Amino acid sequence: MSESYGVIGLGKFGFHIATGLLKQEKRVIIADRDEIALKEISELTNNVFILDSTDVLALKEAGFSNLDFVIVSIGENIESSILTLMALKEIGVKNIIAKAITAVHGKILSKLGASKVIYPEREAAQHLLANFITHPKIEITPISNSLKIAKIEISHNLIGKTPSEITKFLQENNQTEKIKLIALKQSNQTDWNLDMSEDVALFEHDKIAILGDSSVIDTLRY
């Protein structure tokens, strides 16, 4: 059976989470205390509820107690965010992902039993720094707490090298073996290629995808 989700709070972050889940055809229950916030998304699903998310009975009646995951995306009202988390715990929701505004807010949510605390604004800023400022020709995507994938446009140091030569160069330049070339895309191709054939040499505007330890990818030298 497919996993079920709840989204409480339809600010920008909550709206994008909810619509993303709906596009993946997941079962989603959505709630906000503001009827206007729910108006647009109600065109995509009937499982929308105007309710006070700190009210245990209201959450139960809407079906939140039967969900696998609930994302609490309440904006600046820290008190409401905390009370909502406590209400969800009371009705037996085991997996609660909660949005935090500040570090103190996040610590409180963690201590009260949030499965995961997220900081969307901070994470978006870090992503921007990693992708466009610190590494202007590198796109970094986390896949777990310890692993990331980096998509790199070929620089002058890598021009003319084969996949194995690029791997060796990157490992030596970063003094680690915790990185591996997993795919490449030549500038005349639209799709990524997993074939690491040694008769392929890469040139300017070609791209490579590297899997590696997060700390290495974040400081990658190439």
Side-chain angles (χ1 to χ4, degrees):
M1 183 180 294
S2 177
E3 292 174 328
S4 54
Y5 298 83
V7 178
I8 298 176
L10 275 189
K12 291 180 180 179
F13 178 73
F15 178 82
H16 288 301
I17 290 291
T19 54
L21 289 168
L22 289 169
K23 287 177 181 178
Q24 294 179 38
E25 300 184 348
K26 302 292 186 182
R27 177 179 170 238
V28 189
I29 296 177
I30 302 161
D32 196 290
R33 63 194 314 164
D34 184 355
E35 183 178 359
I36 295 175
L38 292 168
K39 185 176 181 181
E40 184 176 351
I41 207 161
S42 64
E43 298 175 2
L44 303 176
T45 176
N46 294 323
N47 285 331
V48 294
F49 297 88
I50 304 168
L51 55 78
D52 177 357
S53 59
T54 68
D55 185 330
V56 170
L57 182 58
L59 290 173
K60 277 186 176 180
E61 290 180 345
F64 279 89
S65 57
N66 301 318
L67 300 175
D68 297 307
F69 298 90
V70 176
I71 297 99
V72 179
S73 177
I74 295 174
E76 299 298 327
N77 192 331
I78 293 177
E79 180 181 356
S80 179
S81 165
I82 292 168
L83 292 176
T84 296
L85 172 63
M86 293 172 67
L88 290 168
K89 296 292 288 184
E90 187 173 337
I91 65 174
V93 179
K94 293 182 179 179
N95 298 303
I96 304 171
I97 302 166
K99 171 186 172 181
I101 304 300
T102 67
V104 173
H105 182 200
K107 287 180 181 179
I108 294 171
L109 293 172
S110 293
K111 287 185 177 181
L112 290 175
S115 309
K116 182 177 178 62
V117 175
I118 55 177
Y119 301 83
E121 289 82 2
R122 180 197 299 178
E123 291 167 9
Q126 290 173 342
H127 183 74
L128 177 66
L129 285 169
N131 283 356
F132 301 107
I133 299 175
T134 307
H135 302 293
K137 290 190 176 181
I138 181 171
E139 177 185 344
I140 298 175
T141 304
I143 59 174
S144 73
N145 289 332
S146 59
L147 288 175
K148 292 183 178 180
I149 290 178
K151 296 178 183 177
I152 299 173
E153 186 173 322
I154 293 296
S155 67
H156 65 280
N157 288 330
L158 304 177
I159 288 175
K161 294 184 184 295
T162 64
S164 65
E165 289 172 337
I166 290 174
T167 300
K168 183 179 179 181
F169 175 86
L170 291 171
Q171 290 176 345
E172 290 178 349
N173 211 36
N174 293 276
Q175 298 182 335
T176 181
E177 293 185 355
K178 294 183 178 181
I179 47 178
K180 183 177 182 181
L181 179 60
I182 58 172
L184 57 87
K185 183 164 80 71
Q186 293 172 286
S187 59
N188 61 350
Q189 297 176 334
T190 56
D191 297 323
W192 286 85
N193 188 355
L194 299 176
D195 182 10
M196 299 292 108
S197 174
E198 280 308 300
D199 60 359
V200 174
L202 298 177
F203 295 93
E204 192 174 5
H205 303 309
D206 292 345
K207 292 183 179 181
I208 53 175
I210 300 166
L211 175 67
D213 183 270
S214 293
S215 60
V216 178
I217 294 295
D218 285 340
T219 58
L220 195 64
R221 295 191 298 273
Y222 60 95

